[in-house]
Amino acid sequence: MDSELIWRIAGGSGDGIVSTSDNFGKAIMRSGLNVFTHRHYPSRIRGGHTYAEIRAGPTELKSRGDGYNFLLALGDSFGRNQKIDSAYYGNERIKPLTENLYDLHNGGVIVYDTGIIDIEDVPDFSEQVAENNWHVYPIDLRSIAKEEGRDIMRNTAGIGATAALLEMELAPIEALMKAAMKGPIFEQNLTILRNTYSMVADTFEFTHDIRFPSGEHNETQALVSGSHAIAYAALDEGCRFIAGYPMTPWTAAFTIMCGILPDVGGISEQVEDEIAAAALAIGASHAGVKAMSGSAGGGFSLMSEPLGLAEMVEQPIVLLEAQRAGPATGMPTKTEQADLEHVLYTSQGDSTRIVLAPGDPEEAYEQTRMAFQIAYGYNIPVILLYDQKLGAELRNIPLSFFDRDPDPSMPGTIPESDLIDAPHHPSGKYHRYNYDAKDGVSLRSIPGQKHGRFHASGNEHTQEGHISEDPINRVLQMDRRRSKIAAIRTYLDAQNVSNNTPYGPLSSPYGILTWGSNKGTVEEAVDRLNSSGTPLVKALSVSDLCPFPTQEVTSFVESVSKILVVEMNATGQFQGLVKQQLGAYGDKLYGLLKYDGNPFEPAEIVAGFEEKIMGEN
Amino acid sequence: MDSELIWRIAGGSGDGIVSTSDNFGKAIMRSGLNVFTHRHYPSRIRGGHTYAEIRAGPTELKSRGDGYNFLLALGDSFGRNQKIDSAYYGNERIKPLTENLYDLHNGGVIVYDTGIIDIEDVPDFSEQVAENNWHVYPIDLRSIAKEEGRDIMRNTAGIGATAALLEMELAPIEALMKAAMKGPIFEQNLTILRNTYSMVADTFEFTHDIRFPSGEHNETQALVSGSHAIAYAALDEGCRFIAGYPMTPWTAAFTIMCGILPDVGGISEQVEDEIAAAALAIGASHAGVKAMSGSAGGGFSLMSEPLGLAEMVEQPIVLLEAQRAGPATGMPTKTEQADLEHVLYTSQGDSTRIVLAPGDPEEAYEQTRMAFQIAYGYNIPVILLYDQKLGAELRNIPLSFFDRDPDPSMPGTIPESDLIDAPHHPSGKYHRYNYDAKDGVSLRSIPGQKHGRFHASGNEHTQEGHISEDPINRVLQMDRRRSKIAAIRTYLDAQNVSNNTPYGPLSSPYGILTWGSNKGTVEEAVDRLNSSGTPLVKALSVSDLCPFPTQEVTSFVESVSKILVVEMNATGQFQGLVKQQLGAYGDKLYGLLKYDGNPFEPAEIVAGFEEKIMGEN
Amino acid sequence: MNTTFSAIGENRTVDANEFTPEIEPQPTWCPGCGDFAVLNALKKAVSEVGRSPEEVLLVTGVGCSSKISSYFECYGFHSLHGRSLPIARAAKLANPDLLVIAAGGDGDGYGIGGNHFMHTARENHDIVYIVFNNEVFGLTKGQASPTSLKGHKSKEQPLGSAKDPIRPLSMGLAAGASYIARTAAVNPSQAKDILVEAIQHEGFAHIDFLTQCPTWNKDAKQYVPYVDVQKSEEYDFDPSNRVQAAQMMYETETSLSEGKILTGRYFIDDRPSYQQEKIARGSMPKDPLAYRYTDEKYSWERSFDYVENRHT
Amino acid sequence: MNTTFSAIGENRTVDANEFTPEIEPQPTWCPGCGDFAVLNALKKAVSEVGRSPEEVLLVTGVGCSSKISSYFECYGFHSLHGRSLPIARAAKLANPDLLVIAAGGDGDGYGIGGNHFMHTARENHDIVYIVFNNEVFGLTKGQASPTSLKGHKSKEQPLGSAKDPIRPLSMGLAAGASYIARTAAVNPSQAKDILVEAIQHEGFAHIDFLTQCPTWNKDAKQYVPYVDVQKSEEYDFDPSNRVQAAQMMYETETSLSEGKILTGRYFIDDRPSYQQEKIARGSMPKDPLAYRYTDEKYSWERSFDYVENRHT
Ligand SMILES: Cc1ncc(C[n+]2csc(CCOP(=O)(O)OP(=O)(O)O)c2C)c(N)n1
Ligand SMILES: Cc1ncc(C[n+]2csc(CCOP(=O)(O)OP(=O)(O)O)c2C)c(N)n1
Ligand code: SF4
Ligand code: SF4
Ligand SMILES: [Mg+2]
Ligand SMILES: [Mg+2]
């Protein structure tokens, strides 16, 4: 019997499966289990292959897991124009069942909505069921829903059926429904939930093994995504200005910020394009506000020139870059890690930017705070690079994690009272770009401050900011700007905790290197690979991409004989970065790449390790 | 006595020193010498530190040389509002003299215009002259010019003085003047030229050693810049469409194309911005025309997204990227090589593009032709990466070099007659993106062709181009697109001549690696370093950046013990690329970087080699 | 008729159904989406003017509406968000024999692509441009678009948009479009007629097509009742008169905010198209450039002559 | 008056010379360039309204004209080609107490920056926008700009531009600018007056400033003789009447092509500025956000409360 549940709900886009599964996930969390979710949906408003998955268990969960063991197939009711029957291509209507069979574990459970899915249309269904020992519960969810309320409420019926089959308590589900709905809608849903629950419990003989796992939390948990963690960290850093243009998957974080900012006297701006978005963040920051912007890779392309401007005028900004599968429009709702090089290098000239790539929601929170601290401390643009996976996955974190002090400070600015004694050009202009600034960080004045006027220019410039092509000034300014990168590495190295996470037994002969959102999946794979007890493999999940943690990575690489480099792209961009930074050890590195739009499952990493690292022994 | 002449003419921007020196250079070439020019000017229309240099000698010239030995200082007459005396900041008027003294060789010649420059204003002039053995000829060029014509004609007077002091014949100069001017303008200039010549010959006693070197060409020579070579190659490849937006230094090539295209029934379009420029090139190419666009780094930033689109829809385009000093607006008229990583990686997703970086005008011609052949043969965007230095330097090439056949073919297209039998989707759509295409190159049909219709999409797509997020299709299409890179490397390796140029004795213990426009300067430095006769150092100038010539570079690196990597940027981008590609040998590589806006002189490379490579022995 | 591009100029009778792609006959738009109407009207209009699928290039941006290139059988180009126009106009310059249509959403065309809209209109390229104006960002889930009414609420504008909507017709006029019309999904026969006129017009034909988005833009409803300004007694203006056109546009745009749906032809001008201007100046060849590459008799110019004349 | 930004609101008498930076008192513009006139008029206007250098933020793009930020003493921001407006408007949102002026060339503002122009005007941000319209790309050496006359020749347009010039005033109007004027370098006192009005206007003030470029645009000469449409007997229109304004703009733009230089105030509207709209909706704080960061008494909100309420 599986000790954990991986529940999948499948339907068409627009069928409301997201909110249903989010609420169900929270109910599960409240029941004392750990929760990890995953979403799969197409780039259109209605229809298409869409599911949401909840993995739940009593122990720590670091990934979506492998495959799943409980399918709730609602059928696709919004495929296309629902009034016309021909609006369904071939088997569209039954796809929520058929497209999901592939990954279902042996012995898994299937609940499907007989109100929409005609099982006769599914080729070889009974053969497959027999072969895989699936336990099938056909239920007319649609009719149950319609009877008490509306068609769409078959989600709730599905949850009722799930709870019954898992022998799970309804209380936490009902509590959440009560909080989310009101009036007759709540009443209808409640009835549907309870009716289905008892109908299923009464009607079916349960042949399956899976039951709701039991667990308990020591403290209150919060169910958050990476996008939430990022937005909340920005809030705690005193960021009160965001400018943006919608683009999946960055829209999630943008939306959260737009929802909160008016509450806290901040400003959110949706503007004409991403060039403007980045430029607005620069303008607001220039005028003294902690500001941010962001996009997915496509919009970030348009930010390329403003990003370079921020480097040159040393304007602090934080930009989010939420990766999705590229190139070009690519697969807008699918995950990938192929914008690494783009983010490191886009924009003309030698780049002077910081790039951080958190691995999970906690890190997303910490690194976003770090992003603001570095940006507004060192007067430099910082990019937080993440992906659709991290942005959308929900998992539980202790609420106490968020019990932090806000920090709106901007150490890169100079208080007005210090300005008068600060270095100035004889003409009275402030030396905003002072050659001798400590760590290269020349403090910035803010328009409206007395004795602070200076000239900010995208051209090379003197200490007070006037345009200059003098070669000596040029080199001094370039070197000062660039020196901030090393100073930031030193600063990061001086922190108590590194952002780069080692995992697994130190004495392991082999290693796995990864970055960003693969962290948890890799760690899960490491545990499995070491499950025999003999140390076999350890991992290092890199979260600081620039400045690169050369020392940490070098010692890791030197401590093992072969390394699997796990990343979600087709060209091994991170592996390339490691080689470029280390200039050595290339022959120890073996790439494991995935770029079909889906994140790794732990078993794939285990298999990749066995093939690429062990297979050659 | 110097066996060669390095003549510098200095004045304000707008003083006409460019056309004067271009013509003078041509006259020198016609006199049988080799010529190499260099320009230095600020980013404004009038005034500022501006000079043009001509190096001339009987042997092959590969760089601007070190310093110079003949200064013609016209004085700055256009500094600012010339009617107001206070329009000149401090010493603006005399800057063409004072700013140029630094690099003048011991024993060099100075001619300055006493009509504008008051030598009393130049601090320590006579001390400097004495110390450096300079030979000074003060001449009132302005008055001579004004007497016969206009103020601006003091350029011509300066040429007359130069010719007299060098004992150079006037005939080739007069012939060119005759071709370039007409009527009274010509007459006036001719008189000024001759008058100054005889005045100088008659008045001064020549104390200097430098004389006009003598030489002879076996065949007719042409004086061309890299920008010319690029434009002419595009023409010979049948490129008949260019879209662009002005930006220094790409404007040079754009201007040449705009001048020629109407002549040859082509189309040039100056458009609203660089996003549009790249998109137009894509549109024209899509409709069946060989098209190009380009910009400097800043405009190229804006092309980032369309570039990714071209990768995804496999639309051939050639983009020029003419580098200047960055980041941001940087130093617009100064040279640099800091856009390498930008060009390799900008745009979201794994990139599939070709990047070529020629080292001199001949290579610029060859590589531009190669760029079109690859683009329109493999249906892939190709970027020709060069810089202000290569774009603007003039040097002589045998005219016969250009005696080539044009080649307007587009092997990546399918003729209409083949379409009917080509693979199609059952619905009748052509398989424009065929999984099984040889070398990954699926032939493209063109709108208007029968049986050719397909769907081009920036989203991931099926064989006929419809949008698809199917993971299997995704991987097949990614792999096919990416496979073209390896196929192109194979194709390049199969050519008779490599684009990457080795230089110097094979048995040398040390090496210099460089890329792009440093080629000639490095080769000159190699010759000097080896001048003792014992092989010390050899060079490899890399011109194919992607696909990277891994084999050639690896054998080069393996064949020496230490390597100096010479490039014009602050972060060693090429060195990083070598490490990333080789994954090894990082400890053999020593960077020599310059990023003050001026190109290397050979002596700087010699000194850098001695310090970084020999100094540690 | 060019033998290497033989789809062009066939002049055969074309059935509207030919434009339904067998591979994706049914759009994935939501039930009730106004985009269906554009697709249907376009099929009818293109067949009415007698152009066949393979002589049409349909360039779209990104958005729900831009997916029309998947559902309309022809040479389709689903490009980038906001970039359909520069691609389309270059294709037309390269081969003026093609029927080139650009299409996309209001966000695509008036938002991120606004600069191309302005300059393509000014230059008066001979293409048709259809803007699916649903006054919202559809594909990205309901954010305010440049045409959204002030007060439009979404997750990005929780307190309602503080911006006045852009005036698309007035912008087209000021920029220089030579044919400007507004039609609506609920008005299929007017839509078809306007599309036919737009295709036949020589110059930049800008159609602002009101397409209700029942999923995200509840305010907009179905754009009913609508009034055809040409047919209604209430309005009397001359679309070839710029001043009258401007006033009518202003009224139309303002009344949309008030729920009154005016549609029709607003401006028709006969200034020369950009192609004509370029050809007249000798800066564009008379024969489509695209054909030259398959013309075996063409003798290609070479650089040698330029180098010899200019550089020796 | 805020004590940590004490340059703001001093309300002292300011001399025009205070705006001449000692570090670069003399612009590098060519002799006879019209840009000098803008600089002089701006110095006078800003001193007349009594704002001092350190409460002014001047954001420019890139071009000859954009160098004005080097020659005008204040907080200057010489940004990117075409991007002055989005920077300027965000700075104003961050600190509405600043006088925010954006400036740049016709290429900068109507060409590459055209989309920002259109949207900033629509949103009616309370900033002044000065476009130095010399009908040419100055800094890059004479190429046609969006306002160049048809037929303009340069190395890029050897047979003359085939494009009609853009109509900047009409575009500003259609887009939604609430103050629109044209002045000329040859008309310093009108220029100064218009700048004063623009600064005092609450909302987006768009000034098309004709600045001759003797170096590259020989056609344009000196923009003389000019006519002030307010002063001339010949013209009678009400700049608060949109229809009349539109007609007057059209005539002004057309007559420029014919060498007749009309200048003056074209449109003055009192719709609320974007800031006012946002504040009214509660989507912008009443006190300048910029001051909060130096306000030691402000108690900063923290995410914990959101997490607790929404996620547990
Ligand atoms: C550069 C870029 N930014 C953002 C997006 C995301 N995006 C896709 S469609 C769209 C807007 C859709 O609205 P509209 O153009 O009005 O089309 P509709 O869906 O309403 O038909 C956006 C913001 C993108 N694809 N590219
Ligand atoms: C993205 C980008 N493209 C091109 C340029 C080059 N460039 C600088 S100024 C300019 C145009 C100048 O014309 P305008 O804006 O009218 O200003 P003017 O010089 O006439 O005052 C151009 C094309 C640039 N700096 N950035
Ligand atoms: S979201 Fe709106 S615009 Fe998009 S398909 Fe649905 S109804 Fe149409
Ligand atoms: S080139 Fe023209 S715009 Fe530029 S400074 Fe000279 S005159 Fe003025
Ligand atoms: Mg829309
Ligand atoms: Mg201009």
Side-chain angles (χ1 to χ4, degrees), chain A residues 65-360:
Chain A
D66 300 311
Y68 68 106
N69 55 18
F70 193 121
L71 172 65
L72 170 61
L74 293 176
D76 189 345
S77 69
F78 281 101
R80 292 182 175 73
N81 193 335
Q82 54 182 339
K83 282 164 214 148
I84 319 169
D85 224 45
S86 69
Y88 292 94
Y89 289 165
N91 57 356
E92 192 83 358
R93 195 188 285 248
I94 57 166
K95 272 191 173 170
L97 179 61
T98 56
E99 291 202 345
N100 289 297
L101 294 179
Y102 179 70
D103 283 337
L104 183 59
H105 293 180
N106 196 298
V109 176
I110 297 176
V111 174
Y112 72 88
D113 186 349
T114 58
I116 296 179
I117 297 170
D118 185 347
I119 212 69
E120 299 294 302
D121 297 342
V122 181
D124 307 324
F125 186 66
S126 48
E127 289 84 338
Q128 291 186 66
V129 168
E131 202 175 303
N132 293 289
N133 289 315
W134 289 331
H135 305 267
V136 183
Y137 302 91
I139 310 179
D140 190 350
L141 302 168
R142 191 194 222 173
S143 304
I144 302 177
K146 270 188 162 161
E147 200 169 298
E148 297 295 331
R150 293 188 304 120
D151 198 304
I152 190 113
M153 295 176 186
R154 66 196 191 285
N155 284 313
T156 305
I159 297 293
T162 300
L165 287 163
L166 292 175
E167 294 172 1
M168 175 187 177
E169 281 179 31
L170 283 185
I173 303 173
E174 292 181 0
L176 275 163
M177 269 171 53
K178 188 161 186 180
M181 307 167 181
K182 36 179 187 256
I185 301 269
F186 169 63
E187 299 300 339
Q188 290 171 348
N189 274 287
L190 192 67
T191 316
I192 292 170
L193 182 78
R194 291 182 177 172
N195 285 359
T196 328
Y197 189 93
S198 27
M199 186 276 278
V200 170
D202 297 349
T203 319
F204 291 101
E205 193 184 323
F206 295 180
T207 58
H208 59 283
D209 283 342
I210 308 156
R211 290 298 180 278
F212 194 69
S214 74
E216 207 178 330
H217 292 299
N218 302 333
E219 50 173 323
T220 310
Q221 301 290 307
L223 192 62
V224 296
S225 67
S227 303
H228 285 115
I230 290 167
Y232 292 141
L235 188 73
D236 287 342
E237 280 294 311
C239 172
R240 290 296 180 271
F241 188 99
I242 193 166
Y245 188 84
M247 186 162 194
T248 310
W250 120 276
T251 311
F254 183 44
T255 304
I256 300 166
M257 289 299 284
C258 290
I260 294 176
L261 282 177
D263 265 18
V264 297
I267 298 175
S268 64
E269 277 290 298
Q270 183 191 312
V271 295
E272 60 269 32
D273 62 20
E274 288 89 349
I275 309 178
L280 265 97
I282 290 172
S285 164
H286 194 75
V289 168
K290 272 187 158 174
M292 71 187 292
S293 181
S295 189
F300 196 79
S301 282
L302 293 167
M303 296 183 170
S304 174
E305 214 196 353
L307 171 61
L309 177 68
E311 296 184 324
M312 196 62 159
V313 301
E314 299 174 63
Q315 195 62 58
I317 45 167
V318 172
L319 298 177
L320 307 182
E321 215 267 31
Q323 299 165 99
R324 63 192 216 185
T329 312
M331 302 195 293
T333 56
K334 298 294 180 288
T335 203
E336 198 168 87
Q337 296 179 299
D339 297 354
L340 170 58
E341 294 168 328
H342 174 45
V343 159
L344 285 170
Y345 305 117
T346 191
S347 204
Q348 67 274 21
D350 289 298
S351 47
T352 307
R353 68 194 61 164
I354 303 303
V355 180
L356 306 176
D360 54 36

Side-chain angles (χ1 to χ4, degrees), chain B residues 26-28 30-31 163 168-179 186 190 193-194 197:
Chain B
K26 212 191 239 189
I28 294 174
R30 286 194 184 170
S31 311
M168 176 189 175
E169 282 180 29
L170 284 185
I173 302 173
E174 293 182 359
L176 276 162
M177 270 170 53
K178 188 160 186 180
F186 169 63
L190 192 66
L193 182 78
R194 289 181 178 172
Y197 190 93

Side-chain angles (χ1 to χ4, degrees), chain A residues 45-46, chain C residues 28-36 63-65 134 136-139 211-217:
Chain A
I45 301 300
R46 291 280 162 91
Chain C
T28 60
W29 294 314
C30 307
C33 176
D35 295 359
F36 288 99
C64 291
S65 43
N134 55 7
V136 80
F137 282 3
L139 190 61
T211 49
Q212 71 284 354
C213 170
T215 302
W216 302 114
N217 201 1

Side-chain angles (χ1 to χ4, degrees), chain C residues 259-279:
Chain C
K260 185 164 174 197
I261 320 296
L262 305 184
T263 63
R265 294 86 176 148
Y266 286 83
F267 186 59
I268 307 171
D269 190 18
D270 59 3
R271 73 177 175 112
S273 74
Y274 188 54
Q275 253 167 259
Q276 292 168 331
E277 294 273 13
K278 278 201 93 136
I279 291 175

Side-chain angles (χ1 to χ4, degrees), chain B residues 128-398:
Chain B
Q128 289 186 68
V129 168
E131 203 176 302
N132 293 290
N133 290 315
W134 289 332
H135 304 267
V136 183
Y137 301 91
I139 311 177
D140 190 348
L141 301 168
R142 191 192 221 173
S143 304
I144 302 176
K146 270 188 163 162
E147 198 170 301
E148 297 295 331
R150 293 188 304 120
D151 197 305
I152 189 114
M153 293 176 188
R154 67 195 191 287
N155 283 315
T156 305
I159 298 293
T162 301
L165 288 163
L166 292 173
E167 294 173 2
M168 176 189 175
E169 282 180 29
L170 284 185
I173 302 173
E174 293 182 359
L176 276 162
M177 270 170 53
K178 188 160 186 180
M181 306 168 181
K182 33 182 192 256
I185 301 268
F186 169 63
E187 298 300 338
Q188 290 170 348
N189 273 289
L190 192 66
T191 315
I192 292 170
L193 182 78
R194 289 181 178 172
N195 285 0
T196 330
Y197 190 93
S198 23
M199 186 276 278
V200 170
D202 295 350
T203 318
F204 291 100
E205 195 182 321
F206 294 0
T207 57
H208 60 282
D209 283 341
I210 308 157
R211 290 299 178 278
F212 194 69
S214 75
E216 208 178 327
H217 292 300
N218 302 332
E219 50 171 323
T220 311
Q221 301 290 307
L223 192 64
V224 296
S225 68
S227 303
H228 285 114
I230 290 166
Y232 292 142
L235 188 74
D236 287 342
E237 280 293 311
C239 172
R240 290 296 179 272
F241 188 99
I242 193 167
Y245 187 82
M247 186 162 194
T248 308
W250 120 275
T251 313
F254 183 43
T255 305
I256 300 166
M257 290 299 283
C258 289
I260 294 175
L261 283 178
D263 267 17
V264 298
I267 297 175
S268 64
E269 277 291 299
Q270 182 191 311
V271 295
E272 59 271 30
D273 64 18
E274 288 89 349
I275 309 178
L280 265 97
I282 290 172
S285 164
H286 194 76
V289 168
K290 272 188 158 174
M292 70 188 293
S293 182
S295 189
F300 195 79
S301 282
L302 293 167
M303 295 182 170
S304 174
E305 215 196 353
L307 171 61
L309 177 68
E311 295 183 325
M312 197 60 160
V313 302
E314 299 174 64
Q315 196 61 58
I317 45 166
V318 171
L319 298 177
L320 307 182
E321 215 268 29
Q323 299 165 97
R324 64 192 216 185
T329 312
M331 303 194 291
T333 56
K334 298 294 181 286
T335 202
E336 198 167 87
Q337 296 179 300
D339 297 355
L340 171 56
E341 293 168 329
H342 174 46
V343 159
L344 283 171
Y345 304 118
T346 190
S347 202
Q348 69 273 21
D350 290 298
S351 49
T352 308
R353 68 194 61 163
I354 303 302
V355 181
L356 306 176
D360 55 35
E362 280 108 322
E363 257 184 45
Y365 180 89
E366 304 286 7
Q367 288 282 59
T368 306
R369 292 204 66 161
M370 184 59 86
F372 279 93
Q373 278 160 37
I374 293 174
Y376 289 87
Y378 289 82
N379 295 334
I380 194 169
V382 181
I383 299 152
L384 196 94
L385 180 64
Y386 62 112
D387 55 20
Q388 192 274 339
K389 168 171 156 46
L390 175 60
E393 285 168 355
L394 295 168
R395 54 175 115 177
N396 57 302
I397 300 179

Side-chain angles (χ1 to χ4, degrees), chain B residues 6 39 52 62 66 72 93 112 137 167 185 189 251 323-324 361 382 423 438 451 477 486 496 539 554 564 585:
Chain B
I6 308 183
R39 277 180 68 194
K62 296 183 169 187
D66 299 310
L72 171 61
R93 195 188 287 248
Y112 72 87
Y137 301 91
E167 294 173 2
I185 301 268
N189 273 289
T251 313
Q323 299 165 97
R324 64 192 216 185
V382 181
K438 183 167 170 299
H451 307 294
Q477 294 292 23
N496 285 335
T554 305
L564 190 70
Y585 308 115

